[in-house]
Amino acid sequence: MVLTIAAAIFVFGLLVLVHELGHFITAKLTGMRVDEFAIGFGPKLVSFKHGETAYSIRAVPLGGFNDIAGMDPEDKDAGDRGYSAKPVLSRMIVIIAGSAMNLILPIFLFFGIYFFSGVATPSTEPVLGKVIEGEAADKAGLQDGDRIIAIDGKPVETWTDLLAAIRNKGGETLSFRVARGGEEVEAQVTPVYDAQQKRAMVGVMGATETRHPGFAESVQLAVTRTAAILYAMAEALYKILLELSGAELAGPLGVAQMAGEVAQMGFVPLLNFAAFLSLNLGLVNLFPIPALDGGHFLLLCVEAVRGKPLGPKAFGYVQRVGIALLLLLMLFATKNDIMRVFFGS
């Protein structure tokens, strides 16, 4: 539980910090007055003021905000340094900067992983690289580095053979013959069916072979991987919208649970997860839904075409519709979280 909470705070904190920094830096660069830069919501835990801006960390680490003066068109207190007083292009830059930072962050995370930890290539050998604590293999006494020789008397020569031997054996006890330290040992393992993966699993990861690319290759690999994940995410989101299916959606509770599970595998997998989630956040935030950055950007495009912003009444209606859509989405995602966490489906 402690690891899950710590991992969730780290992931949410990193993503929110980077996102809000995007808004903060561009607001300052375009001459806007920022009254507060906050990570988290609720009561202040730590706060100090530097110049005209107060910096704070708040109790609920599930978001953050920039209090930019003049966000409300009716607020004239900020004068020509207010958000609404700035040209449309300046406001567009500030609004889009948060999502842009979330899309850029993974490049740096992947670069750091490749350059410092190397590139891990999955081994085809039936050797256990990682036995996940508390899962079926761990309970049966299997250990990192074990080589699987046979399952129920059938030889296992490759990792594919291992996967095939347990794929459809959920709930059945299998006899594993394992080579460990020059000796052979027997272990009784009962695979558990995973509804999401749609196959039985025992909680192990294959061994990997690691190589260390240079600086330039690490940059290239980081950019390539970021682009590939973005493309896959765009396809998945298109499928969700096309089929009106949100079964894969996860809210804060689900993300926290996943962060805890990934953290058990190590810090590098947690950085990979943070990079993946950052891309997800950046992409979803660009949706043209009022109350999201993409919705604000769309309204600014309308203002640029019309030559004036929407009236207060129209703007209020649009914002209420956007908030209602977000609440419905959050309720659906929370329902999915509850089903996954408490009912395992």
Side-chain angles (χ1 to χ4, degrees):
M1 177 62 75
V2 174
L3 181 62
T4 296
I5 293 172
I9 291 175
F10 169 76
V11 171
F12 282 125
L14 177 63
L15 269 54
V16 169
L17 174 64
V18 168
H19 184 92
E20 295 303 331
L21 269 178
H23 293 313
F24 175 79
I25 292 170
T26 50
K28 289 285 191 179
L29 288 176
T30 52
M32 298 178 189
R33 194 186 82 211
V34 182
D35 294 329
E36 184 178 359
F37 175 84
I39 300 300
F41 297 114
K44 295 179 181 179
L45 299 178
V46 179
S47 180
F48 68 93
K49 190 166 185 177
H50 180 70
E52 65 185 7
T53 305
Y55 300 85
S56 63
I57 298 176
R58 294 175 177 250
V60 184
L62 296 178
F65 64 89
N66 281 280
D67 183 7
I68 302 175
M71 287 291 288
D72 182 355
E74 300 300 313
D75 179 13
K76 306 299 183 183
D77 178 62
D80 60 358
R81 296 193 61 207
Y83 172 86
S84 299
K86 294 297 180 181
V88 172
L89 180 59
S90 296
R91 285 178 276 153
M92 284 181 168
I93 292 171
V94 172
I95 289 298
I96 215 71
S99 294
M101 288 287 278
N102 281 129
L103 297 178
I104 293 170
L105 172 64
I107 296 176
F108 289 91
L109 292 179
F110 288 140
F111 167 79
I113 291 169
Y114 292 141
F115 189 72
F116 295 104
S117 297
V119 178
T121 305
S123 172
T124 59
E125 299 294 316
V127 177
L128 306 185
K130 175 72 175 176
V131 177
I132 300 173
E133 185 179 351
E135 298 296 331
D138 178 53
K139 292 175 181 177
L142 295 182
Q143 300 176 10
D144 296 357
D146 284 352
R147 174 182 284 272
I148 310 302
I149 299 172
I151 297 177
D152 277 353
K154 296 180 181 178
V156 174
E157 297 179 353
T158 66
W159 187 257
T160 302
D161 292 342
L162 170 62
L163 296 179
I166 64 176
R167 180 177 295 277
N168 299 313
K169 301 294 183 178
E172 300 182 30
T173 300
L174 305 177
S175 179
F176 279 54
R177 190 161 83 250
V178 176
R180 179 190 302 161
E183 299 179 353
E184 292 187 7
V185 297
E186 294 281 341
Q188 305 302 309
V189 185
T190 305
V192 177
Y193 182 75
D194 188 296
Q196 290 184 334
Q197 299 292 333
K198 297 182 179 178
R199 62 184 176 90
M201 304 177 71
V202 296
V204 296
M205 299 172 64
T208 57
E209 298 170 356
T210 304
R211 69 179 183 85
H212 291 270
F215 185 92
E217 187 182 359
S218 295
V219 173
Q220 180 186 359
L221 288 170
V223 172
T224 301
R225 186 174 184 191
T226 300
I229 294 174
L230 267 178
Y231 180 77
M233 280 183 177
E235 278 194 325
L237 287 170
Y238 175 74
K239 185 178 179 182
I240 289 173
L241 293 173
L242 198 65
E243 298 178 357
L244 295 178
S245 170
E248 302 300 319
L249 289 175
L253 184 60
V255 172
Q257 182 195 26
M258 287 185 277
E261 292 172 353
V262 173
Q264 292 180 19
M265 303 176 194
F267 187 61
V268 170
L270 186 61
L271 289 180
N272 270 292
F273 179 71
F276 179 86
L277 203 61
S278 185
L279 288 173
N280 201 305
L281 176 63
L283 192 60
V284 170
N285 231 324
L286 290 176
F287 278 18
I289 298 175
L292 292 180
D293 289 348
H296 284 295
F297 188 81
L298 181 62
L299 290 177
L300 289 172
C301 291
V302 171
E303 179 181 340
V305 172
R306 294 178 75 232
K308 59 180 181 178
L310 290 178
K313 184 177 288 188
F315 182 78
Y317 285 139
V318 169
Q319 287 294 94
R320 282 194 284 273
V321 168
I323 292 170
L325 287 174
L326 281 181
L327 285 175
L328 284 173
L329 191 64
M330 285 300 298
L331 285 172
F332 193 80
T334 302
K335 185 270 292 182
N336 286 350
D337 288 348
I338 293 171
M339 295 300 291
R340 288 191 193 100
V341 173
F342 296 105
F343 301 99
S345 62

